[in-house]
Amino acid sequence: MRISVIMQVNLGSYSCAVTRNSDNSEVRFMQAVKSFLNQSFKDTELIIVSDGDRKVEDIWAYLWINEPSIRFKYIDKQEAYSGEMRNVGIGLAQGDIICYLDHDDVFGRHHLQVISDNFNTEEYDWVYYDDYLVNGTMAQKIERPVHPEFTSIGTSAIAHRRNIEIKWGGGYGHDWYMIEKYLLPLRYIKIPTPEYYVCHFRKIEDFQ
């Protein structure tokens, strides 16, 4: 398998969350998964790791239990900003490449194709790329320049080989700490911008 996508999900209210129950988080979650299923590149899997949320399991069982490209794992509720869900997902992954999808963001149709076409895993250990911020509607998307530095780069803008040593930690800013400790010392390159849409502020009806 070429690519495994890791998605950590809790649909409840984090004190630090941008997306809350009142923001129709179930709809956003289903739209995120739909954007994976609509990918033009198919040599992929999605691993959904539920962060102590049985509602996520119910939705998966109702909609996708028979979808062979989607796998599901429930774990006990973790502390805010925990990296354990991603570590569990990586442990289950079968793809040569790991990338990530937040449950309230979406992929454009060719996102994984662009990554596959431009990520030479024999030459590089990981890649990064610009992403898009969506403010309001999908017509209001802005390409965001990403750099391998604190406050600039996160899981919306990286893909890495599965068989390298990484471990997601916890605490605020853990994305950067993992990248700085495990990825920056390795071989990497910036690739053409794929189609990752950071949609925390979009209207949910845009994908219905």
Side-chain angles (χ1 to χ4, degrees):
M1 183 175 294
R2 178 68 169 161
I3 299 178
S4 295
V5 179
I6 310 299
M7 177 190 287
Q8 61 181 52
V9 188
N10 184 292
L11 301 177
S13 296
Y14 287 107
S15 61
C16 53
V18 175
T19 301
R20 302 173 297 277
N21 283 332
S22 60
D23 298 316
N24 291 284
S25 56
E26 295 93 340
V27 173
R28 293 176 185 270
F29 167 49
M30 290 186 283
Q31 292 169 346
V33 175
K34 181 179 178 181
S35 77
F36 166 80
L37 292 171
N38 286 341
Q39 289 297 290
S40 58
F41 184 74
K42 297 297 185 183
D43 189 15
T44 63
E45 65 177 355
L46 173 67
I47 300 174
I48 299 170
V49 181
S50 174
D51 179 21
D53 191 339
R54 293 295 184 186
K55 185 182 297 184
V56 174
E57 186 172 15
D58 291 342
I59 295 172
W60 165 76
Y62 182 71
L63 293 176
W64 307 304
I65 194 169
N66 294 317
E67 172 54 58
S69 64
I70 296 179
R71 302 163 65 196
F72 176 84
K73 177 69 175 178
Y74 175 91
I75 65 172
D76 291 338
K77 180 72 179 70
Q78 304 294 303
E79 295 183 359
Y81 300 114
S82 170
E84 183 59 21
M85 293 79 73
R86 291 170 181 158
N87 294 330
V88 168
I90 292 170
L92 296 171
Q94 299 176 350
D96 295 329
I97 295 170
I98 302 289
C99 63
Y100 303 90
L101 175 60
D102 285 350
H103 78 269
D104 49 6
D105 293 338
V106 292
F107 288 161
R109 178 167 169 75
H110 304 295
H111 178 72
L112 298 180
Q113 184 71 65
V114 173
I115 292 174
S116 180
D117 288 348
N118 291 279
F119 190 170
N120 181 344
T121 53
E122 294 184 359
E123 188 171 354
Y124 298 103
D125 297 305
W126 66 285
V127 298
Y128 74 100
Y129 38 81
D130 296 340
D131 56 19
Y132 292 89
L133 297 180
V134 177
N135 184 13
T137 71
M138 283 300 292
Q140 297 173 304
K141 56 180 183 290
I142 302 172
E143 187 169 352
R144 176 172 62 173
V146 170
H147 308 284
E149 58 191 34
F150 185 55
T151 74
S152 179
I153 194 167
T155 54
S156 64
I158 65 169
H160 60 81
R161 292 199 296 118
R162 175 171 54 87
N163 60 349
I164 60 174
E165 179 186 356
I166 69 165
K167 183 175 178 60
W168 291 93
Y172 184 77
H174 67 282
D175 285 11
W176 169 247
Y177 299 144
M178 192 285 292
I179 293 168
E180 182 181 38
K181 179 176 180 178
Y182 292 105
L183 296 185
L184 284 184
L186 303 178
R187 304 168 301 169
Y188 65 93
I189 192 173
K190 188 171 188 177
I191 65 171
T193 305
E195 298 174 358
Y196 191 109
Y197 298 114
V198 179
C199 299
H200 299 314
F201 305 105
R202 67 177 167 81
K203 297 178 182 178
I204 63 168
E205 59 267 23
D206 293 330
F207 277 87
Q208 292 181 330

